[in-house]
Amino acid sequence: MFILLNILGANAGNAFYKFVQSLADPLALFFPGLFSFENFTTQVIITYGLAAVFWLVVTGLIARLLR
């Protein structure tokens, strides 16, 4: 959701934007700041996208272990 808000150019001062960002930051773990790009939108896509892929892999492994 945070990636989508940035791609669509949401107002960063909006309360909903800040709420979504406050939820996304802890879930991104160590990925924000791992790479730095001049364009903030590109940085958000790469870093939070990597975090999303990481969580997909982790939850997939957990689901496989629980079967």
Side-chain angles (χ1 to χ4, degrees):
M1 180 76 150
F2 184 60
I3 295 172
L4 186 61
L5 288 174
N6 278 289
I7 290 172
L8 296 175
N11 179 6
N14 187 304
F16 181 70
Y17 179 93
K18 289 180 181 181
F19 173 71
V20 171
Q21 184 180 18
S22 72
L23 294 176
D25 283 341
L27 292 174
L29 300 175
F30 57 86
F31 290 103
L34 188 60
F35 302 105
S36 81
F37 298 94
E38 288 186 24
N39 186 348
F40 180 71
T41 303
T42 304
Q43 185 168 349
V44 167
I45 292 170
I46 299 297
T47 57
Y48 287 87
L50 283 172
V53 170
F54 169 79
W55 284 114
L56 284 172
V57 170
V58 168
T59 56
L61 290 172
I62 291 171
R64 192 171 281 209
L65 287 174
L66 294 177
R67 270 204 253 164

